[in-house]
Amino acid sequence: RSDIESLKGTQVEDHHLDTLIAETDKMMRVFHSLLRITNIEQGKRAQAFNRVDLRALLHDVMELYEPVAEEKEVSFNVHLSNNIGAKGDADLLFQLFANLLDNAVKFSPPASTIEITVQQEHDLPSITITDRGQGIADSEKEKVFKHFYRGDASRSTEGNGLGLSLVKAIVEQHQGKITLEDANPGLRVRILLQPYQ
């Protein structure tokens, strides 16, 4: 606001305006993320639950992130079982896995592999995404789900600390479970969802 106020009565250069627009866009993204999390936590999307084909959904998410991964020479090692359906909202689940894959690519070292697996685990749809990055310290594994929390490994990367809050809200909305495990090296995120019956 003070930057905008300082422009009163002055001639403004385009690069200055571009900076202000970028900052405004960033604030809007934070606001919309918080709004989305609040709506999910209040259960406003529960009525949209249908059968979601996890293989097809993960394929679409990977397709979206393939160009970014290729830039870092990061490849996907994929094990997607057929006919595994979850009860849920396809848009929210897409957002969940997009956030997780975005993190996996972001924190993966160059020329490494991200493993993505969809299978049945004790009659529940199970999805794991494993990267070879720095991982998350045990002391931070619960904290990373809090709004705006940024762990030591993520402080130097772009973000607002809401990605995993959104992931957690979507998992809970779907009566699922999320666990963060050491992959030695890296992080394995395991999600269990409800089957569609």
Side-chain angles (χ1 to χ4, degrees), residues 59-120:
H59 183 270
D60 290 346
V61 176
M62 284 185 295
E63 208 171 63
L64 179 68
Y65 281 93
E66 230 160 15
V68 185
E70 281 175 8
E71 267 184 44
K72 283 186 76 174
E73 297 178 22
V74 170
S75 59
F76 297 139
N77 186 9
V78 183
H79 310 278
L80 305 179
S81 299
N82 284 318
N83 298 320
I84 296 189
K87 181 180 180 181
D89 180 311
D91 292 338
L92 289 179
L93 290 176
F94 186 96
Q95 179 75 64
L96 182 157
F97 294 120
N99 280 23
L100 292 177
L101 207 54
D102 182 64
N103 280 351
V105 171
K106 193 187 299 180
F107 294 110
S108 286
S112 64
T113 301
I114 295 170
E115 281 189 50
I116 302 163
T117 304
V118 175
Q119 61 189 5
Q120 289 289 128

Side-chain angles (χ1 to χ4, degrees), residues 51 54 83-87 118-127 174-176 191-197:
R51 185 184 190 279
L54 292 175
N83 298 320
I84 296 189
K87 181 180 180 181
V118 175
Q119 61 189 5
Q120 289 289 128
E121 192 174 312
H122 308 298
D123 297 324
L124 297 177
S126 168
I127 307 92
H174 285 76
Q175 297 178 347
I191 305 246
L192 293 175
L193 295 172
Q194 294 299 314
Y196 187 80
Q197 296 169 332

Side-chain angles (χ1 to χ4, degrees), residues 11-87:
Q11 285 194 331
V12 186
E13 294 180 21
D14 282 352
H15 77 276
H16 198 126
L17 282 176
D18 289 341
T19 302
L20 290 173
I21 289 168
E23 282 297 312
T24 306
D25 287 345
K26 186 177 175 184
M27 286 189 291
M28 291 296 289
R29 283 195 299 274
V30 170
F31 173 77
H32 285 298
S33 291
L34 284 169
L35 194 60
R36 199 176 304 127
I37 291 168
T38 301
N39 285 337
I40 293 165
E41 287 174 342
Q42 291 176 352
K44 291 185 177 177
R45 296 286 297 259
Q47 69 278 4
F49 282 9
N50 293 300
R51 185 184 190 279
V52 178
D53 182 336
L54 292 175
R55 180 187 175 95
L57 185 78
L58 265 297
H59 183 270
D60 290 346
V61 176
M62 284 185 295
E63 208 171 63
L64 179 68
Y65 281 93
E66 230 160 15
V68 185
E70 281 175 8
E71 267 184 44
K72 283 186 76 174
E73 297 178 22
V74 170
S75 59
F76 297 139
N77 186 9
V78 183
H79 310 278
L80 305 179
S81 299
N82 284 318
N83 298 320
I84 296 189
K87 181 180 180 181

